[in-house]
Amino acid sequence: MCLRHALCITAVLLTTLNAAAARNAEEPAVGTANGLALTPPMGWNSYNKFACNIDEKIIRQEADAMVSSGMREAGYRYIVIDDCWQGARDRNGNIHPDPKRFASGVKALADYVHSRGLKFGIYSDAGEKTCGGRPGSRGYEYQDARQYAAWGVDYLKYDWCNTGTQDAQASYLTMSQALQASGRPILFSMCEWGNSKPWLWARNVGNLWRTTGDIYDAWEGINPNGYSIGMLNILDMQVGLAPFAGPGHWNDPDMLEVGNGGMTESEYKAHFSLWAMLAAPLISGNDLATMSEETKAILANQDVIAVDQDPLGTEADRVVKDGDYEVWARPIKGGGRAVVLLNRSTRPHDITVTWAELNYPDGLRAAVHDLWTHKDRTQAQGAFIASVEGHSVVMVTIKP
Ligand code: GLA
């Protein structure tokens, strides 16, 4: 008990400071107190399709197509310009866009995107130069964050090229705090490729963090370029990461390749289904202005999107691994499960998930709804079994 007033105040103050210090040690940043990404962000990014070959005309076209194709209606919001929009810094250190490719300036482009009812994202890098050799933000974090806020930026993807001996945690924390200090809510997408296991430390630093290197538009394998890897290679690297994701802070297995031509339609359905199971950001990476009806039908599948956007925000785990046959499952709001039966082989195969694997009692009866045919399958009890084509998935919800 506090007997003397002055001592009492000192004691209370010390206790408070100690508690704050303890909390700070655990939670280093003000970070994602931005209240954004309560469900995984959805949008479009220029890199997978256009790489460095971008200009303001393309970005405007994609924003228009996001609306006219029905993608905005389907839930996609962010138009994100990846690497290579930058020109040079002026003598005051202010970053300017490439004067030829983005002649109207970034503010005008952000205004255009906003006028379409969309949100606007941009890209930078924690090092001195971006992966494409443009100026990075190292040493200019606060100045750049202020500039992005003034332009009306809603989303920053922050890459990790040319960072030398920089510490990832410190570098991302600096930009996180700079964004916070800018006064504008800016979603912070960390692209550090999983090198320093950001899922262990970035919960209060960024809204999402890449868990791997770049995706390669292929079912499986390594790109001859040596650094990007196929869809299933990325999937395998997500095993065990589910506990680290949740509202406001997501694992990011990289952007979607749906519609870019390297996979079959059923492989792309599998890619999209699995990314939804992983509560991944759904960032389309194809040309929205010229996409086929088949591609649109995959990207706009409301049943699958609802799984990705489920308010519980619980990422799927692999609950069965039987050679080429796998089951991924996640709880969804209301006590149900979303389930993907994945056949990695080239031949059709029956794949089963038991209720025990879903943490259900055997006797439970449940309704099974197919998220690609949009039909109810027969009620199931104890297990659900389906024939799955080669290089393909069956995706269902199971609701008691
Ligand atoms: C890195 C990132 C990619 C993309 C490119 C741009 O490879 O991981 O997602 O941003 O840089 O140069």
Side-chain angles (χ1 to χ4, degrees):
M1 232 185 114
C2 289
L3 294 177
R4 288 197 200 158
H5 196 59
L7 275 181
C8 184
I9 290 176
T10 313
V12 168
L13 199 65
L14 280 176
T15 313
T16 314
L17 286 176
N18 285 341
R23 196 172 55 241
N24 283 344
E26 271 169 38
E27 299 181 2
V30 281
T32 55
N34 60 19
L36 299 172
L38 296 180
T39 60
M42 296 174 63
W44 174 88
N45 173 298
S46 53
Y47 183 70
N48 281 356
K49 173 70 188 177
F50 297 100
C52 227
N53 306 311
I54 47 165
D55 58 32
E56 60 186 32
K57 188 163 160 252
I58 291 176
I59 305 301
R60 281 205 213 98
Q61 264 171 15
E62 296 299 325
D64 290 345
M66 181 85 101
V67 180
S68 61
S69 65
M71 288 279 282
R72 182 183 68 180
E73 207 54 28
Y76 293 83
R77 282 291 174 283
Y78 291 95
I79 294 281
V80 183
I81 315 181
D82 208 280
D83 204 353
C84 301
W85 63 268
Q86 307 90 335
R89 291 189 185 278
D90 63 24
R91 72 165 79 90
N92 296 320
N94 296 315
I95 185 75
H96 294 275
D98 183 312
K100 286 213 186 71
R101 291 170 177 265
F102 292 88
S104 316
V106 181
K107 175 81 168 69
L109 197 49
D111 288 348
Y112 187 87
V113 169
H114 289 147
S115 75
R116 298 292 178 275
L118 300 169
K119 289 183 176 291
F120 180 72
I122 212 166
Y123 160 105
S124 190
D125 186 288
E128 277 170 12
K129 285 192 161 123
T130 69
C131 300
R134 307 297 169 115
S137 288
R138 182 174 184 186
Y140 296 92
E141 293 87 351
Y142 280 78
Q143 187 170 0
D144 284 355
R146 271 198 303 276
Q147 179 67 81
Y148 302 153
W151 282 337
V153 168
D154 306 299
Y155 182 120
L156 175 67
K157 173 176 171 182
Y158 204 49
D159 214 339
W160 190 239
C161 275
N162 305 304
T163 45
T165 59
Q166 279 174 247
D167 175 67
Q169 200 162 339
S171 301
Y172 281 93
L173 181 56
T174 302
M175 186 47 104
S176 174
Q177 290 175 328
L179 292 175
Q180 187 93 356
S182 79
R184 186 178 170 89
I186 299 179
L187 193 154
F188 192 30
S189 155
M190 300 172 35
C191 180
E192 172 273 359
W193 316 313
N195 291 356
S196 71
K197 300 190 169 62
W199 49 90
L200 295 178
W201 55 263
R203 179 193 168 100
N204 295 298
V205 179
N207 296 106
L208 34 137
W209 49 80
R210 282 274 295 278
T211 54
T212 68
D214 290 3
I215 191 167
Y216 164 42
D217 183 16
W219 175 251
E220 191 165 23
I222 298 186
N223 187 325
N225 73 15
Y227 68 81
S228 57
I229 57 175
M231 191 270 290
L232 290 182
N233 304 68
I234 289 196
L235 180 74
D236 287 337
M237 295 169 76
Q238 310 312 307
V239 174
L241 299 188
F244 304 104
H249 52 276
W250 308 100
N251 291 310
D252 176 4
D254 204 4
M255 303 173 290
L256 296 163
E257 290 284 11
V258 177
N260 279 337
M263 294 185 235
T264 66
E265 191 183 340
S266 82
E267 290 173 343
Y268 279 138
K269 283 183 179 168
H271 174 25
F272 195 64
S273 304
L274 289 160
W275 262 230
M277 293 299 285
L278 294 171
L282 295 181
I283 307 295
S284 52
N286 59 315
D287 182 1
L288 302 179
T290 58
M291 72 179 154
S292 67
E293 287 303 315
E294 289 75 25
T295 295
K296 197 195 303 181
I298 295 174
L299 290 171
N301 182 327
Q302 288 300 294
D303 279 352
V304 176
I305 289 173
V307 171
D308 181 75
Q309 297 288 302
D310 184 80
L312 286 186
T314 308
E315 181 177 329
D317 259 332
R318 185 161 68 189
V319 298
V320 174
K321 171 76 179 157
D322 174 16
D324 279 341
Y325 316 118
E326 298 181 6
V327 180
W328 290 74
R330 63 181 278 188
I332 51 174
K333 197 174 171 216
R337 303 283 186 265
V339 173
V340 158
L341 311 178
L342 166 65
N343 182 355
R344 302 168 73 123
S345 81
T346 51
R347 294 164 177 279
H349 194 83
D350 284 352
I351 301 181
T352 304
V353 62
T354 66
W355 271 201
E357 284 150 359
L358 299 178
N359 281 324
Y360 281 156
D362 270 355
L364 194 75
R365 287 189 69 76
V368 181
H369 183 69
D370 189 307
L371 306 192
W372 285 107
T373 65
H374 306 291
K375 296 204 173 95
D376 289 331
R377 291 180 174 244
T378 48
Q379 286 236 329
Q381 189 173 1
F384 168 65
I385 179 166
S387 168
V388 187
E389 296 296 315
H391 280 207
S392 148
V393 297
V394 165
M395 183 175 190
V396 295
T397 52
I398 296 181
K399 294 185 178 170

